[in-house]
Amino acid sequence: MTTFRHVPAHLFLPSAATLRTTPTPTSAGSALLLPRPPLSRHISLNPAASLLSPASSSLSPPHAQLRRRFLQLSRRFTVMAASTQVSLQENKTRLKLEQLNWDNSFIRDLPGDATTDGPPRQVLHACYTKVSPSVLVDNPQLVVWSNSVAELLNLDPKEFERPDFPLIFSGVSILKGSVPYAQCYGGHQFGTWAGQLGDGRAITLGEVLNDQGERWELQLKGAGKTPYSRFADGLAVLRSSIREFLCSEAMDALGIPTTRALCLVTTGKSVTRDMFYDGNPKEEPGAIVCRVAQSFLRFGSYQIHALRGEEDVPIIRSLLDYTIQHHFPHLNSLSSKGEDFSLKPEGLEKPAVDLTSNKYAAWFCEVAERTAVLIAKWQGVGFTHGVMNTDNMSVLGLTIDYGPFGFLDAFDPNYTPNTTDLPGRRYCFANQPDIGMWNLAQLGGTLSTANLVNDEEVKYGMAKYGSRFMDEYQSVMTKKLGLAKYNKDLISKLLTNMAIDKVDYTICFRALSNIKTIHDLTDDELLNPLKPVLLDMSKERKKAWVDWTRQYIQEVASSGISDEERKRSMDSVNPKYVLRNYLCQSAIDSAEQGDFTEVRRLLLVMQKPYDEQEGREKYARLPPAWAYRPGVCMLSCSS
């Protein structure tokens, strides 16, 4: 199996927001303030730019008249465009909860459990079990919500104000058209096959189709027992629910594929949890988060049927046909004439297999590429998932199941936020690309068992993963440093310095944009932009940073890009704000006392991670000393 172990450490640090671009600044003197389509920053959308330059003050009378007429038309068009925007916003579909368009294709098209609800048990020959939420509530309250997710569903934001909203999204009141179920899946946990797992405390309400034809699943996490709960209670606590809600929305704002969160409600009941698995359980407030995704299918959704004998193997094909039909429909119309719809793996002159002849092989390759892009983006923002079991890997390439996650503070490639992972650090930050490859190998083995792909097709998909990860990494890191082209030596030296001096990952990359291409600065002046992260250094370490900074200045100066343009570009890919664990904990501490203000404020901050956000600088500071205590910087899977 291909491994990334031979690759220098800097290959594990691509950025988030790879696809983001910086809006083109309006040309000087322009009177046009028109909405800009998402085109390249190198394309000018201002037809008046040449007319409105400083030299235009000496225009001849005919030209001056033409200029005045042009400005009049421009202003009129601007007003018309603004009114059109308002009209479009007013005409957006805004539905009440009872008007949501439910479809429920998963339970309609796939085999289900003959028994509904019932005690924890092995569920055979089925992809799901119909269940009803069973959580007990006592005056549930709405803690926080996402207007942007409501918009995906065409849900009127005013619905959040309904008195019965907390009852509906705690599962007490089921909406008409919703057919709740829990999904059956298995998984490798920490490298070992764990058998049947399934939705042990997540209950899908169903699928909603919006006015764009997009399919969105709504799922309540913490709504009660299912046949897949094993020895657990099917509930969730406020602590973990706040973390999941906030991180879902924060990751989306960073430009990283993720499941979303519509709302979070308290149950009004207590839940017993042993947070550190040390024999000291305590009562915590119960809560339920409504997760939203186009699908919650995981690698383990297919694996479970391959390991239950010949009778269940045909379900893999049925499930994969369903997946392609609803989430990869383009694969059903592949040309049979040798069309290659994706990039060739590095080092191969031509495709090793004809993907157009086998849609299942093509699907595996696309899942591999989506996974590569996702993990590259994780590395870029210093995100460590913490529990990369195969049951926590989305086939859509989404970040899914936010448990003991963590963003890097002081840069440590071996960092893991999961106390359960401490003995071997299998899921530490630097290992994530390798684990993605390992998990894909398990998925490929499942497809082979069902005779849907052959060994060469699996190898090809694995090669696609490796090449796509490397391509994404190089592109992202080049943008993070504001370089004109990828420079392996420069990036490697930077990350080595950061690791040695335990430099804060987020603040350091953000600060790099403040370095000026001035060559005659003293050493202290040179390092001044990095002063917030370079603390208590020896002379030897200071020299290492001075040498690197001078090399960096030389590299960026040769690109011909101005300092101002480089800063704009770098600040658009290097976030100022990330959801550090201690920020979550501060919000949790207040929420457990009944004050949800900080949760809501933190959501607002994380929705604009690349903006300066004047007055909110405290959310971008170095972590305080208490941030490194157990239960803050590291957590268990208990929630």
Side-chain angles (χ1 to χ4, degrees):
M1 185 185 77
T2 304
T3 177
F4 292 91
R5 284 292 182 186
H6 66 287
V7 182
H10 70 275
L11 292 184
F12 303 129
L13 300 170
S15 169
T18 305
L19 302 179
R20 290 178 177 268
T21 56
T22 305
T24 309
T26 307
S27 299
S30 173
L32 294 181
L33 297 174
L34 306 182
R36 297 181 184 274
L39 300 179
S40 165
R41 67 169 62 92
H42 302 295
I43 299 177
S44 173
L45 300 181
N46 181 9
S50 60
L51 294 176
L52 303 180
S53 64
S56 66
S57 60
S58 59
L59 290 174
S60 61
H63 288 100
Q65 291 177 357
L66 177 63
R67 176 176 178 271
R68 284 194 296 272
R69 180 58 179 159
F70 182 82
L71 289 176
Q72 289 173 355
L73 291 173
S74 297
R75 293 188 185 103
R76 184 181 302 174
F77 182 77
T78 301
V79 171
M80 291 173 60
S83 64
T84 300
Q85 274 193 322
V86 171
S87 177
L88 287 173
Q89 290 175 355
E90 291 176 348
N91 291 332
K92 280 184 178 179
T93 306
R94 296 180 183 275
L95 304 176
K96 294 184 178 297
L97 287 169
E98 292 79 7
Q99 297 173 314
L100 292 176
N101 182 18
W102 297 93
D103 183 54
N104 304 314
S105 65
F106 195 83
I107 61 174
R108 183 180 65 240
D109 298 348
L110 294 167
D113 186 0
T115 304
T116 60
D117 295 303
R121 63 185 186 277
Q122 290 294 304
V123 176
L124 304 176
H125 322 313
C127 295
Y128 64 89
T129 302
K130 292 182 180 179
V131 296
S132 299
S134 59
V135 61
L136 299 177
V137 303
D138 181 9
N139 188 29
Q141 296 183 50
L142 179 61
V143 175
V144 64
W145 59 93
S146 172
N147 287 327
S148 63
V149 176
E151 187 172 338
L152 293 176
L153 306 174
N154 302 137
L155 183 65
D156 191 333
K158 292 181 180 178
E159 292 293 278
F160 292 120
E161 302 171 11
R162 290 173 52 156
D164 62 345
F165 189 91
L167 288 172
I168 293 171
F169 284 92
S170 62
V172 173
S173 301
I174 300 299
L175 291 168
K176 182 179 180 180
S178 166
V179 183
Y181 69 89
Q183 189 188 150
C184 178
Y185 52 82
H188 282 85
Q189 297 192 324
F190 296 91
T192 301
W193 178 247
Q196 176 181 292
L197 298 169
D199 287 334
R201 59 192 172 121
I203 298 176
T204 297
L205 296 178
E207 305 151 41
V208 169
L209 295 178
N210 67 14
D211 58 4
Q212 302 299 311
E214 296 171 336
R215 183 178 305 274
W216 295 98
E217 291 185 23
L218 275 65
Q219 186 180 87
L220 301 183
K221 186 172 182 178
K225 280 188 177 183
T226 76
Y228 311 101
S229 297
R230 293 176 285 174
F231 302 105
D233 56 18
L235 306 177
V237 297
L238 183 60
R239 163 176 51 87
S240 64
S241 300
I242 287 174
R243 286 171 53 81
E244 173 130 21
F245 180 95
L246 289 176
C247 203
S248 298
E249 296 307 284
M251 293 287 271
D252 179 70
L254 286 167
I256 299 175
T258 178
T259 58
R260 303 294 300 277
L262 174 66
C263 62
L264 166 61
V265 300
T266 60
T267 64
K269 294 286 189 178
S270 295
V271 176
T272 302
R273 285 291 180 269
D274 185 353
M275 182 175 177
F276 298 107
Y277 299 126
D278 60 0
N280 294 296
K282 71 171 186 176
E283 297 289 301
E284 298 188 50
I288 299 171
V289 62
C290 180
R291 308 196 296 186
V292 177
Q294 292 191 300
S295 175
F296 286 95
L297 284 166
R298 307 125 186 284
F299 289 11
S301 302
Y302 308 83
Q303 285 183 281
I304 185 68
H305 305 296
L307 295 166
R308 281 187 157 167
E310 294 184 5
E311 189 176 353
D312 274 26
V313 168
I315 295 178
I316 301 172
R317 181 188 290 269
S318 299
L319 182 57
L320 195 44
D321 285 340
Y322 167 86
T323 306
I324 291 173
Q325 177 186 348
H326 290 290
H327 304 293
F328 299 79
H330 55 284
L331 298 183
N332 274 324
S333 57
L334 289 178
S335 168
S336 60
K337 299 180 180 180
E339 177 186 358
D340 182 9
F341 68 92
S342 55
L343 299 175
K344 298 176 178 65
E346 184 177 347
L348 294 180
E349 295 298 326
K350 58 183 179 179
V353 294
D354 179 11
L355 294 180
T356 62
S357 65
N358 184 355
K359 67 178 181 180
Y360 304 118
W363 177 81
F364 180 65
C365 287
E366 185 163 340
V367 172
E369 290 197 273
R370 291 190 185 198
T371 303
V373 170
L374 174 69
I375 295 177
K377 289 176 177 289
W378 286 357
Q379 305 301 107
V381 293
F383 175 79
T384 309
H385 185 279
V387 200
M388 287 180 66
N389 299 327
T390 58
D391 57 295
N392 294 335
M393 298 291 292
S394 162
V395 297
L396 299 187
L398 306 175
T399 314
I400 191 171
D401 289 339
Y402 291 95
F405 67 82
F407 286 86
L408 290 172
D409 292 324
F411 178 49
D412 177 6
N414 292 318
Y415 168 69
T416 177
N418 187 352
T419 56
T420 311
D421 190 38
L422 274 178
R425 296 182 183 266
R426 175 183 175 85
Y427 297 143
C428 73
F429 177 74
N431 280 357
Q432 291 183 136
D434 269 352
I435 294 299
M437 175 77 83
W438 192 92
N439 288 343
L440 281 165
Q442 312 317 306
L443 179 60
T446 292
L447 302 184
S448 294
T449 299
N451 293 317
L452 300 177
V453 299
N454 59 41
D455 289 346
E456 289 303 311
E457 289 166 337
V458 172
K459 290 178 182 177
Y460 184 69
M462 304 291 278
K464 295 286 288 181
Y465 173 85
S467 62
R468 186 58 187 270
F469 178 85
M470 299 299 287
D471 288 344
E472 192 75 11
Y473 156 74
Q474 292 186 4
S475 172
V476 169
M477 289 304 289
T478 299
K479 292 177 181 179
K480 282 183 74 69
L481 271 73
L483 304 177
K485 59 183 178 180
Y486 175 65
N487 187 321
K488 177 180 177 180
D489 178 65
L490 189 68
I491 294 169
S492 182
K493 286 179 179 177
L494 170 63
L495 297 176
T496 298
N497 284 340
M498 290 174 65
I500 291 173
D501 295 311
K502 306 251 184 270
V503 169
D504 187 272
Y505 190 84
T506 301
I507 297 177
C508 182
F509 273 105
R510 183 76 175 192
L512 290 178
S513 68
N514 295 320
I515 293 176
K516 306 296 184 184
T517 52
I518 302 173
H519 296 277
D520 57 353
L521 297 176
T522 66
D523 289 353
D524 287 339
E525 290 172 333
L526 193 72
L527 297 183
N528 192 57
L530 302 178
K531 189 175 180 180
V533 292
L534 300 183
L535 309 172
D536 302 323
M537 287 191 304
S538 65
K539 290 183 179 180
E540 178 185 1
R541 294 307 309 148
K542 180 179 179 180
K543 182 179 184 304
W545 280 97
V546 167
D547 291 345
W548 181 86
T549 306
R550 293 198 185 282
Q551 181 185 355
Y552 176 64
I553 289 176
Q554 183 177 358
E555 179 72 13
V556 295
S558 66
S559 70
I561 301 172
S562 70
D563 289 343
E564 292 76 16
E565 183 180 351
R566 177 171 54 84
K567 178 174 174 58
R568 283 195 298 270
S569 176
M570 292 174 68
D571 285 353
S572 73
V573 296
N574 291 311
K576 180 173 181 177
Y577 303 94
V578 294
L579 190 67
R580 299 176 189 263
N581 277 339
Y582 87 90
L583 295 175
C584 275
Q585 192 59 48
S586 294
I588 290 167
D589 290 343
S590 296
E592 289 182 337
Q593 300 303 314
D595 182 359
F596 307 139
T597 305
E598 187 61 18
V599 177
R600 296 168 185 173
R601 184 181 295 119
L602 193 52
L603 172 64
L604 294 176
V605 173
M606 295 303 150
Q607 286 176 330
K608 297 181 178 180
Y610 300 97
D611 294 355
E612 286 296 323
Q613 299 195 55
E614 184 177 352
R616 292 173 171 170
E617 291 81 3
K618 70 175 184 177
Y619 295 99
R621 293 173 183 166
L622 287 169
W626 63 264
Y628 298 97
R629 73 177 189 233
V632 180
C633 68
M634 297 186 69
L635 302 100
S636 72
C637 295
S638 173
S639 59

CSV table of all heavy atoms in Angstrom, one decimal, residues 105-137:
chain,number,residue,atom,x,y,z
A,105,SER,N,-36.1,8.8,0.0
A,105,SER,CA,-35.7,7.8,-1.0
A,105,SER,C,-34.9,6.6,-0.4
A,105,SER,O,-35.0,5.5,-0.9
A,105,SER,CB,-34.8,8.4,-2.1
A,105,SER,OG,-33.6,8.9,-1.5
A,106,PHE,N,-34.2,6.9,0.7
A,106,PHE,CA,-33.3,5.9,1.3
A,106,PHE,C,-34.2,4.7,1.8
A,106,PHE,O,-33.8,3.5,1.5
A,106,PHE,CB,-32.6,6.4,2.5
A,106,PHE,CG,-31.4,5.6,3.0
A,106,PHE,CD1,-30.2,5.7,2.4
A,106,PHE,CD2,-31.6,4.7,4.1
A,106,PHE,CE1,-29.1,4.9,2.8
A,106,PHE,CE2,-30.5,3.9,4.5
A,106,PHE,CZ,-29.3,4.0,3.9
A,107,ILE,N,-35.3,4.9,2.5
A,107,ILE,CA,-36.1,3.8,2.9
A,107,ILE,C,-37.0,3.3,1.8
A,107,ILE,O,-37.5,2.2,1.9
A,107,ILE,CB,-36.9,4.2,4.2
A,107,ILE,CG1,-37.9,5.4,3.8
A,107,ILE,CG2,-36.0,4.6,5.3
A,107,ILE,CD1,-38.8,5.7,5.0
A,108,ARG,N,-37.2,4.1,0.8
A,108,ARG,CA,-38.1,3.6,-0.3
A,108,ARG,C,-37.3,2.7,-1.2
A,108,ARG,O,-37.9,1.7,-1.7
A,108,ARG,CB,-38.6,4.8,-1.1
A,108,ARG,CG,-39.5,4.5,-2.2
A,108,ARG,CD,-40.0,5.7,-3.0
A,108,ARG,NE,-38.9,6.4,-3.7
A,108,ARG,CZ,-38.6,7.7,-3.4
A,108,ARG,NH1,-39.2,8.4,-2.5
A,108,ARG,NH2,-37.6,8.2,-4.1
A,109,ASP,N,-36.0,2.9,-1.4
A,109,ASP,CA,-35.3,2.2,-2.5
A,109,ASP,C,-34.4,1.1,-1.9
A,109,ASP,O,-33.9,0.3,-2.7
A,109,ASP,CB,-34.4,3.2,-3.2
A,109,ASP,CG,-35.2,4.3,-4.0
A,109,ASP,OD1,-36.4,4.1,-4.1
A,109,ASP,OD2,-34.6,5.3,-4.4
A,110,LEU,N,-34.2,1.0,-0.6
A,110,LEU,CA,-33.2,0.1,-0.1
A,110,LEU,C,-33.9,-0.9,0.9
A,110,LEU,O,-34.9,-0.6,1.5
A,110,LEU,CB,-32.1,0.8,0.6
A,110,LEU,CG,-31.2,1.7,-0.3
A,110,LEU,CD1,-30.3,2.6,0.4
A,110,LEU,CD2,-30.4,0.8,-1.2
A,111,PRO,N,-33.3,-2.1,1.1
A,111,PRO,CA,-33.9,-3.0,2.0
A,111,PRO,C,-33.8,-2.6,3.5
A,111,PRO,O,-32.7,-2.0,3.9
A,111,PRO,CB,-33.0,-4.3,1.8
A,111,PRO,CG,-31.7,-3.8,1.2
A,111,PRO,CD,-32.1,-2.6,0.4
A,112,GLY,N,-34.9,-2.8,4.2
A,112,GLY,CA,-34.9,-2.3,5.6
A,112,GLY,C,-35.2,-3.5,6.5
A,112,GLY,O,-35.5,-4.6,6.1
A,113,ASP,N,-35.0,-3.2,7.8
A,113,ASP,CA,-35.2,-4.1,8.9
A,113,ASP,C,-36.7,-4.4,9.0
A,113,ASP,O,-37.6,-3.5,8.9
A,113,ASP,CB,-34.7,-3.5,10.2
A,113,ASP,CG,-34.8,-4.4,11.4
A,113,ASP,OD1,-35.2,-5.6,11.2
A,113,ASP,OD2,-34.4,-4.0,12.5
A,114,ALA,N,-37.1,-5.7,9.1
A,114,ALA,CA,-38.5,-6.1,9.2
A,114,ALA,C,-39.1,-5.7,10.5
A,114,ALA,O,-40.3,-5.5,10.6
A,114,ALA,CB,-38.6,-7.6,9.0
A,115,THR,N,-38.2,-5.4,11.5
A,115,THR,CA,-38.7,-5.0,12.8
A,115,THR,C,-38.4,-3.6,13.0
A,115,THR,O,-37.4,-3.1,12.7
A,115,THR,CB,-38.0,-5.8,13.9
A,115,THR,OG1,-38.2,-7.2,13.7
A,115,THR,CG2,-38.5,-5.5,15.3
A,116,THR,N,-39.4,-2.8,13.5
A,116,THR,CA,-39.2,-1.4,13.8
A,116,THR,C,-38.8,-1.2,15.3
A,116,THR,O,-39.2,-2.1,16.2
A,116,THR,CB,-40.4,-0.6,13.5
A,116,THR,OG1,-41.5,-1.1,14.3
A,116,THR,CG2,-40.8,-0.7,12.1
A,117,ASP,N,-38.1,-0.2,15.6
A,117,ASP,CA,-37.6,0.1,17.0
A,117,ASP,C,-37.0,-1.1,17.6
A,117,ASP,O,-36.2,-1.8,17.0
A,117,ASP,CB,-38.8,0.6,17.8
A,117,ASP,CG,-39.3,1.9,17.3
A,117,ASP,OD1,-38.5,2.9,17.3
A,117,ASP,OD2,-40.5,2.0,17.0
A,118,GLY,N,-37.3,-1.4,18.8
A,118,GLY,CA,-36.8,-2.7,19.5
A,118,GLY,C,-35.5,-2.4,20.2
A,118,GLY,O,-34.9,-1.4,20.1
A,119,PRO,N,-35.1,-3.4,20.9
A,119,PRO,CA,-33.8,-3.3,21.7
A,119,PRO,C,-32.6,-3.4,20.8
A,119,PRO,O,-32.7,-3.8,19.7
A,119,PRO,CB,-34.0,-4.5,22.7
A,119,PRO,CG,-34.7,-5.5,21.9
A,119,PRO,CD,-35.7,-4.7,21.1
A,120,PRO,N,-31.4,-3.1,21.4
A,120,PRO,CA,-30.2,-3.3,20.6
A,120,PRO,C,-30.0,-4.7,20.2
A,120,PRO,O,-30.3,-5.6,21.0
A,120,PRO,CB,-29.1,-2.8,21.6
A,120,PRO,CG,-29.8,-1.9,22.5
A,120,PRO,CD,-31.2,-2.4,22.7
A,121,ARG,N,-29.7,-4.9,18.9
A,121,ARG,CA,-29.6,-6.2,18.4
A,121,ARG,C,-28.8,-6.2,17.1
A,121,ARG,O,-28.5,-5.1,16.5
A,121,ARG,CB,-31.0,-6.8,18.1
A,121,ARG,CG,-31.7,-6.0,17.0
A,121,ARG,CD,-33.2,-6.5,16.9
A,121,ARG,NE,-33.9,-5.9,15.8
A,121,ARG,CZ,-34.5,-4.7,15.8
A,121,ARG,NH1,-34.5,-4.1,17.0
A,121,ARG,NH2,-35.1,-4.2,14.8
A,122,GLN,N,-28.4,-7.4,16.5
A,122,GLN,CA,-27.8,-7.5,15.2
A,122,GLN,C,-28.9,-7.4,14.2
A,122,GLN,O,-29.9,-8.1,14.2
A,122,GLN,CB,-27.1,-8.8,15.1
A,122,GLN,CG,-25.8,-8.9,15.9
A,122,GLN,CD,-24.7,-7.9,15.5
A,122,GLN,OE1,-24.3,-7.9,14.3
A,122,GLN,NE2,-24.3,-7.0,16.4
A,123,VAL,N,-28.7,-6.4,13.3
A,123,VAL,CA,-29.7,-6.2,12.2
A,123,VAL,C,-29.1,-6.8,10.9
A,123,VAL,O,-28.2,-6.2,10.4
A,123,VAL,CB,-30.1,-4.7,12.1
A,123,VAL,CG1,-31.1,-4.5,10.9
A,123,VAL,CG2,-30.7,-4.2,13.4
A,124,LEU,N,-29.7,-7.8,10.4
A,124,LEU,CA,-29.2,-8.5,9.2
A,124,LEU,C,-30.0,-8.1,7.9
A,124,LEU,O,-31.2,-7.8,8.0
A,124,LEU,CB,-29.2,-10.0,9.4
A,124,LEU,CG,-28.5,-10.5,10.6
A,124,LEU,CD1,-28.6,-12.0,10.8
A,124,LEU,CD2,-27.0,-10.1,10.6
A,125,HIS,N,-29.3,-8.2,6.8
A,125,HIS,CA,-30.0,-8.1,5.5
A,125,HIS,C,-30.7,-6.7,5.3
A,125,HIS,O,-31.7,-6.6,4.6
A,125,HIS,CB,-31.0,-9.2,5.2
A,125,HIS,CG,-30.5,-10.5,5.8
A,125,HIS,ND1,-29.3,-11.0,5.6
A,125,HIS,CD2,-31.2,-11.4,6.5
A,125,HIS,CE1,-29.2,-12.2,6.1
A,125,HIS,NE2,-30.4,-12.5,6.7
A,126,ALA,N,-30.2,-5.7,6.0
A,126,ALA,CA,-30.9,-4.4,5.9
A,126,ALA,C,-29.9,-3.2,6.0
A,126,ALA,O,-28.8,-3.3,6.5
A,126,ALA,CB,-31.9,-4.3,7.1
A,127,CYS,N,-30.3,-2.1,5.4
A,127,CYS,CA,-29.6,-0.9,5.4
A,127,CYS,C,-30.0,0.1,6.5
A,127,CYS,O,-29.3,1.1,6.8
A,127,CYS,CB,-29.6,-0.2,4.1
A,127,CYS,SG,-28.9,-1.1,2.7
A,128,TYR,N,-31.2,-0.2,7.1
A,128,TYR,CA,-31.7,0.7,8.1
A,128,TYR,C,-32.8,0.0,8.9
A,128,TYR,O,-33.3,-1.1,8.6
A,128,TYR,CB,-32.3,1.9,7.4
A,128,TYR,CG,-33.5,1.6,6.6
A,128,TYR,CD1,-34.8,1.6,7.1
A,128,TYR,CD2,-33.4,1.3,5.2
A,128,TYR,CE1,-35.9,1.2,6.3
A,128,TYR,CE2,-34.5,0.9,4.4
A,128,TYR,CZ,-35.7,0.9,5.0
A,128,TYR,OH,-36.8,0.6,4.2
A,129,THR,N,-33.2,0.7,10.0
A,129,THR,CA,-34.3,0.3,10.8
A,129,THR,C,-35.2,1.5,11.1
A,129,THR,O,-34.6,2.5,11.5
A,129,THR,CB,-33.8,-0.3,12.2
A,129,THR,OG1,-33.0,-1.4,11.9
A,129,THR,CG2,-35.0,-0.8,13.0
A,130,LYS,N,-36.5,1.4,10.9
A,130,LYS,CA,-37.3,2.5,11.2
A,130,LYS,C,-37.4,2.6,12.7
A,130,LYS,O,-37.7,1.6,13.4
A,130,LYS,CB,-38.7,2.3,10.6
A,130,LYS,CG,-38.8,2.4,9.1
A,130,LYS,CD,-40.2,2.2,8.6
A,130,LYS,CE,-40.3,2.3,7.1
A,130,LYS,NZ,-41.6,2.2,6.6
A,131,VAL,N,-37.2,3.8,13.3
A,131,VAL,CA,-37.3,4.0,14.7
A,131,VAL,C,-38.0,5.3,15.0
A,131,VAL,O,-38.1,6.2,14.2
A,131,VAL,CB,-35.8,4.0,15.3
A,131,VAL,CG1,-35.1,2.7,15.1
A,131,VAL,CG2,-35.0,5.2,14.7
A,132,SER,N,-38.4,5.4,16.2
A,132,SER,CA,-39.0,6.7,16.7
A,132,SER,C,-38.1,7.3,17.8
A,132,SER,O,-37.7,6.6,18.6
A,132,SER,CB,-40.4,6.4,17.3
A,132,SER,OG,-41.3,5.9,16.3
A,133,PRO,N,-37.9,8.6,17.7
A,133,PRO,CA,-37.2,9.2,18.8
A,133,PRO,C,-37.8,9.0,20.2
A,133,PRO,O,-39.1,9.0,20.3
A,133,PRO,CB,-37.2,10.7,18.5
A,133,PRO,CG,-37.5,10.8,17.0
A,133,PRO,CD,-38.3,9.6,16.7
A,134,SER,N,-37.0,8.7,21.1
A,134,SER,CA,-37.5,8.3,22.4
A,134,SER,C,-37.0,9.1,23.6
A,134,SER,O,-37.2,8.7,24.8
A,134,SER,CB,-37.3,6.8,22.7
A,134,SER,OG,-35.9,6.5,22.7
A,135,VAL,N,-36.2,10.1,23.3
A,135,VAL,CA,-35.6,10.9,24.4
A,135,VAL,C,-36.7,11.6,25.2
A,135,VAL,O,-37.7,12.0,24.7
A,135,VAL,CB,-34.7,12.0,23.8
A,135,VAL,CG1,-35.4,12.9,22.9
A,135,VAL,CG2,-33.9,12.7,24.9
A,136,LEU,N,-36.5,11.6,26.5
A,136,LEU,CA,-37.4,12.3,27.4
A,136,LEU,C,-37.0,13.8,27.5
A,136,LEU,O,-35.8,14.1,27.6
A,136,LEU,CB,-37.4,11.6,28.8
A,136,LEU,CG,-37.8,10.2,28.8
A,136,LEU,CD1,-37.7,9.6,30.3
A,136,LEU,CD2,-39.3,10.0,28.3
A,137,VAL,N,-37.9,14.7,27.5
A,137,VAL,CA,-37.6,16.1,27.6
A,137,VAL,C,-38.5,16.8,28.7
A,137,VAL,O,-39.5,16.3,29.0
A,137,VAL,CB,-37.9,16.8,26.2
A,137,VAL,CG1,-37.0,16.2,25.1
A,137,VAL,CG2,-39.3,16.8,25.9
